[in-house]
Amino acid sequence: VTEDSLLAMLRDSLPPVLHYRSGVGPFTRGHYGVLVGWDPVRRGCLVNDGGSRTARYRRDDLMRRWKAAGSLALIVWRRAQ
């Protein structure tokens, strides 16, 4: 899975669940969030991570955190009937 393919999935209404590093400095841990939006003007990603509000990340920051956690993504789709 690549950064561009994550955004393509989002455009195709398949929001990926990302595993990424959360926290500051040496105090980071693995965390999961659903990529639910992309703002190309601000180059920002919207992530539902279990908080009360949708989190906003700069694309380069989220992708750095995602890569640091192994670039893992869970993709769920309904099989055609």
Side-chain angles (χ1 to χ4, degrees), residues 7-80:
L7 298 180
M9 287 180 228
L10 192 57
R11 281 191 303 270
D12 292 338
S13 299
L14 290 169
V17 179
L18 303 180
H19 182 247
Y20 59 97
R21 301 302 298 170
S22 180
V24 178
F27 304 105
T28 63
R29 60 183 171 78
H31 192 70
Y32 290 93
V34 181
L35 181 62
V36 295
W38 162 244
D39 181 346
V41 173
R42 294 183 179 171
R43 296 195 48 80
C45 296
L46 303 174
V47 178
N48 284 344
D49 65 355
S52 61
R53 293 184 172 177
T54 300
R56 293 180 171 269
Y57 292 94
R58 285 188 340 267
R59 178 181 173 172
D60 59 336
D61 183 40
L62 182 61
M63 294 301 107
R64 180 181 51 79
R65 292 170 179 263
W66 178 61
K67 288 176 182 175
S71 303
L72 300 175
L74 175 66
I75 314 303
V76 180
W77 71 90
R78 185 176 294 182
R79 184 171 40 172

